[in-house]
Amino acid sequence: MLRTFATHQHRITESLDGLWEFATADTGPQPRRLRPPGSFDSRLHVPGPWERRPDLVNYRGQAWYRRTFTALPGFTPRIVFGGVSHTGTAMIDGRVVGRHDDAYTPWAVHATGVEAGEHELSLHVDNTFGPHAGLHLENDYYTYGGITRPVELQHVPDVFIERVAATPQAGRGGKWSLDLIIELTNLSDQPQRRGLAVDLAGRTHDLGGLTVAPSTTRAIRRSLDGLAVRPWSLDKPHLYRLHTRLLDGEAVVDDLIDRIGFREVAVRGRKLLLNGRPIRLRGFNRHEDYQPFGCGIPLDAMAVDLELIRDMGGNFVRTCHYPNDMRFLDLCDELGIAVWEESHARQVKFDHPRYREQVTRSSEEMVRWHHNHPAILMWGCLNECESRTPEGAAEHGRVLKLIKKLDPSRPVTYASMFHRLDKAYRYADIVSWNRYIGWYGGGIDQIESNIRDLLKWLHGSDRTGGRNKPVILSEFGVGAIPGYRNANRCKWSEEYQCDVLDESLRVYLNHPDIVGTAIWQFCDVRITPGWNWDRRPRTMNNKGVVDEHRRPKLAYEVVKRRHAEAARRWDRAAG
Ligand code: ADA
């Protein structure tokens, strides 16, 4: 399943997860004309990266997947891919029905005009680097290959509900309103009139009727007011089922179920507010990488990650450096774990021929698909990209404004490594810094003075662009080889990681102008061999507090203690 709950009660859906036929293809550039192979030499499970197969653990190339499905009379087959890594081309009966760049956002294809009965679905997947990939490059995380997230077949009528975006707003007297944007797609060649109704919190709201022109998608806005509901918060993450039904006369012809939480996020001065009250976030950067699953992390393992994060007293996850699996976001909604979700980019080059279109699409699709998750408190982008130059700052402004336009209800930020040289803070609602004092420079004893001086600079003038904005320490940490203990507490030892994280958390969790901390990083992850491998023992990024199998390092208990101290102190301060 794409989510942790059923998203349809009326629409007929079926999971396409399971064994698909599989065959590797070329490792060179994609051929101009894609043609599925005549024969397939094996089967591979979907979802999951092909690296799960030992002989493909380092395979960077192209491959084909194939399976059949059955189309139903009177419906159009719509296939939703939760994520394909990293470039996918979908075919039905040998006809291209869609393609998608980038591994980390869902995409949907449909095939109008197919007869009822059995059809062939084949998918070409390419995880190579090069001029076709502006965001996937040799990097400090691994780009896996394959159909790495769940796939769902849906049977949709001529007019179906494409999307429902719900934005809650606090009203007077503890009542809430809900702004809805409902998108209807008409696949037919005739205008079609339909009615809409929404079931929420025990009430049915009739939204009236509308006509959708042929072969178009139409968005309508409606608002539900005076809702007596319980708010969503980190401590009490109350969720509500939002069931939108499409009517033809009295008959329900389609529907869409999502889950929402009534909460508001805002920035006021140097504070981050949730439902009007200042909050402070403490947590981790988490890559989607968990051995032996690779990036194809099953739901039970996602739940383990969140239990470990909660056990360490975390209430916050940054989805470095890309949009995450919707099931993980569902779990964060259910558990009250705050999320900074960011569109895909880590130190990408703005002059790559495909960068601009792909980062734009990653940002648009992230917001479109993940808008309703109450746990997502902020949107991020462009991790450690060029923000020192006027051109680089302008690009940050373009992407941040794009995200803000798509969703004005959440603050936006980006993680900067350029600190006093950064020229883009003015476009962000929250200033976020990646600081590695004690690892890439400086000593443990400089952590406190370093951040004190930097904050003094930031708030010392309007010219910084970040004056009186909240600050998040979006990355800090050190490498520790799992199991490497050394009484001299040298670099790469677990003891040294304890020392740096202990001091970093003591300082950052205590500073009133720092509203959030995200340790780099939750777990050790694979990197691509061509990237700074000489500084990455095991060809891994070893800065995890747990290793790639979630075995805790010594620092686990240090983090747990510091988070617990902070939680007690913040609770006392909040009264
Ligand atoms: C950067 C980057 C991370 C990771 C980290 C490190 O801050 O944002 O992705 O590479 O450095 O481990 O050095």
Side-chain angles (χ1 to χ4, degrees):
M1 284 174 71
L2 292 163
R3 307 292 295 274
T4 61
F5 57 92
T7 51
H8 299 279
Q9 195 171 301
H10 180 86
R11 186 185 298 181
I12 302 167
T13 65
E14 60 181 281
S15 168
L16 294 186
D17 294 352
L19 289 176
W20 291 41
E21 291 178 294
F22 176 82
T24 54
D26 303 335
T27 56
Q30 268 193 37
R32 293 186 62 78
R33 180 169 163 65
L34 291 173
R35 189 174 294 112
S39 65
F40 285 75
D41 54 13
S42 64
R43 288 178 180 276
L44 212 53
H45 187 270
V46 168
W50 57 56
E51 288 83 358
R52 290 290 308 273
R53 226 176 70 180
D55 61 320
L56 299 177
V57 71
N58 293 319
Y59 179 69
R60 190 159 301 288
Q62 302 167 45
W64 282 93
Y65 290 79
R66 184 175 69 181
R67 63 158 291 156
T68 60
F69 69 91
T70 302
L72 300 179
F75 292 93
T76 294
R78 178 177 188 257
I79 295 156
V80 184
F81 297 97
V84 173
S85 188
H86 61 61
T87 297
T89 304
M91 294 181 168
I92 292 181
D93 301 333
R95 176 167 61 97
V96 175
V97 291
R99 59 168 285 129
H100 187 270
D101 300 325
D102 209 71
Y104 304 115
T105 42
W107 49 297
V109 299
H110 57 258
T112 49
V114 296
E115 296 294 318
E118 189 166 277
H119 296 273
E120 179 187 273
L121 169 64
S122 47
L123 196 71
H124 176 270
V125 183
D126 177 358
N127 78 334
T128 59
F129 300 131
H132 59 298
L135 307 177
H136 283 280
L137 26 113
E138 296 283 6
N139 223 324
D140 203 8
Y141 58 98
Y142 197 81
T143 286
Y144 287 90
I147 306 177
T148 52
R149 295 180 184 169
V151 184
E152 187 171 277
L153 168 63
Q154 304 177 353
H155 303 276
V156 295
D158 276 354
V159 180
F160 69 95
I161 304 171
E162 183 91 46
R163 180 174 93 107
V164 175
T167 305
Q169 284 188 337
R172 282 191 292 278
K175 297 291 180 62
W176 288 80
S177 63
L178 191 67
D179 288 341
L180 296 173
I181 296 174
I182 301 173
E183 293 178 9
L184 301 182
T185 294
N186 179 0
L187 298 173
S188 76
D189 56 6
Q190 296 298 318
Q192 304 272 1
R193 183 154 185 82
R194 295 289 184 274
L196 276 170
V198 161
D199 301 332
L200 172 66
R203 284 175 52 190
T204 294
H205 303 262
D206 179 351
L207 303 186
L210 70 152
T211 298
V212 188
S215 306
T216 58
T217 293
R218 179 179 175 190
I220 61 163
R221 297 184 80 106
R222 295 288 188 276
S223 182
L224 310 182
D225 299 312
L227 302 171
V229 291
R230 293 184 294 177
W232 186 95
S233 69
L234 302 184
D235 300 328
K236 296 176 182 160
H238 294 300
L239 292 172
Y240 287 86
R241 183 176 185 262
L242 178 70
H243 189 185
T244 304
R245 290 178 288 118
L246 190 65
L247 306 167
D248 189 354
E250 293 302 310
V252 179
V253 292
D254 193 35
D255 72 335
L256 179 58
I257 297 167
D258 205 344
R259 281 187 330 194
I260 61 172
F262 288 88
R263 59 102 184 94
E264 276 187 334
V265 195
V267 163
R268 187 173 62 208
R270 301 182 189 182
K271 299 299 178 194
L272 176 64
L273 306 183
L274 179 63
N275 299 333
R277 301 186 59 179
I279 59 166
R280 296 186 69 168
L281 305 174
R282 53 187 186 271
F284 303 85
N285 286 273
R286 174 184 176 270
H287 267 297
E288 289 183 331
D289 197 342
Y290 193 148
Q291 295 310 333
F293 313 113
C295 67
I297 305 174
L299 186 61
D300 65 313
M302 292 180 192
V304 164
D305 277 359
L306 287 168
E307 280 315 301
L308 292 173
I309 286 167
R310 283 155 50 101
D311 182 59
M312 283 190 272
N315 64 1
F316 176 47
V317 172
R318 177 185 173 212
T319 69
C320 60
H321 295 294
Y322 37 75
N324 269 205
D325 188 306
M326 293 186 282
R327 297 168 296 165
F328 181 76
L329 300 173
D330 285 337
L331 293 179
C332 292
D333 292 339
E334 293 168 20
L335 295 169
I337 299 281
V339 175
W340 155 339
E341 186 168 60
E342 60 188 30
S343 51
H344 183 202
R346 180 200 175 280
Q347 293 186 5
V348 296
K349 301 305 174 206
F350 294 159
D351 60 0
H352 185 287
R354 300 292 303 276
Y355 153 76
R356 183 182 171 105
E357 67 170 283
Q358 292 180 352
V359 79
T360 301
R361 195 171 314 120
S362 175
S363 302
E364 289 171 342
E365 292 176 350
M366 171 180 73
V367 177
R368 278 183 59 81
W369 284 92
H370 298 168
H371 177 95
N372 295 339
H373 289 282
I376 298 176
L377 302 191
M378 63 196 78
W379 300 114
C381 61
L382 300 182
N383 176 73
E384 295 197 342
C385 294
E386 183 52 78
S387 54
R388 291 166 294 184
T389 63
E391 302 75 15
E395 175 58 12
H396 281 71
R398 183 188 73 83
V399 179
L400 288 162
K401 285 174 190 166
L402 164 72
I403 294 172
K404 197 79 180 179
K405 183 163 183 272
L406 289 165
D407 176 17
S409 74
R410 291 176 170 96
V412 293
T413 188
Y414 67 93
S416 169
M417 63 186 284
F418 298 119
H419 315 124
R420 288 180 176 80
L421 300 176
D422 197 303
K423 292 185 170 53
Y425 296 142
R426 64 182 181 281
Y427 299 114
D429 298 313
I430 299 170
V431 172
S432 297
W433 289 321
N434 296 347
R435 302 287 292 157
Y436 286 90
I437 311 297
W439 187 251
Y440 291 121
I444 294 177
D445 59 347
Q446 295 170 293
I447 289 173
E448 184 159 28
S449 60
N450 189 288
I451 197 67
R452 183 190 61 228
D453 297 346
L454 188 55
L455 284 165
K456 187 175 174 194
W457 167 84
L458 182 75
H459 298 309
S461 161
D462 288 333
R463 285 197 307 274
T464 66
R467 186 177 203 172
N468 289 332
K469 290 183 177 178
V471 169
I472 288 180
L473 262 293
S474 39
E475 292 183 29
F476 54 93
V478 296
I481 306 295
Y484 176 45
R485 306 285 169 86
N486 194 314
N488 72 15
R489 312 184 81 85
C490 58
K491 278 194 172 180
W492 296 113
S493 70
E494 291 194 21
E495 288 84 355
Y496 185 69
Q497 187 184 41
C498 291
D499 296 344
V500 174
L501 288 181
D502 189 42
E503 176 64 359
S504 301
L505 290 170
R506 182 190 69 80
V507 171
Y508 299 149
L509 291 172
N510 264 311
H511 199 293
D513 289 346
I514 295 174
V515 300
T517 56
I519 292 169
W520 186 273
Q521 61 177 324
F522 171 66
C523 60
D524 292 348
V525 300
R526 273 189 83 175
I527 68 165
T528 45
W531 192 88
N532 286 350
W533 55 273
D534 55 328
R535 292 188 290 144
R536 292 287 183 271
R538 312 192 297 147
T539 315
M540 302 275 291
N541 183 305
N542 296 284
K543 297 188 180 71
V545 175
V546 299
D547 73 7
E548 60 273 26
H549 302 285
R550 279 37 181 183
R551 293 174 299 211
K553 300 178 186 175
L554 283 178
Y556 184 102
E557 293 303 324
V558 169
V559 171
K560 186 169 179 175
R561 174 172 49 81
R562 284 295 183 189
H563 278 171
E565 280 171 7
R568 285 193 298 273
R569 190 169 50 251
W570 299 351
D571 290 349
R572 279 197 304 274

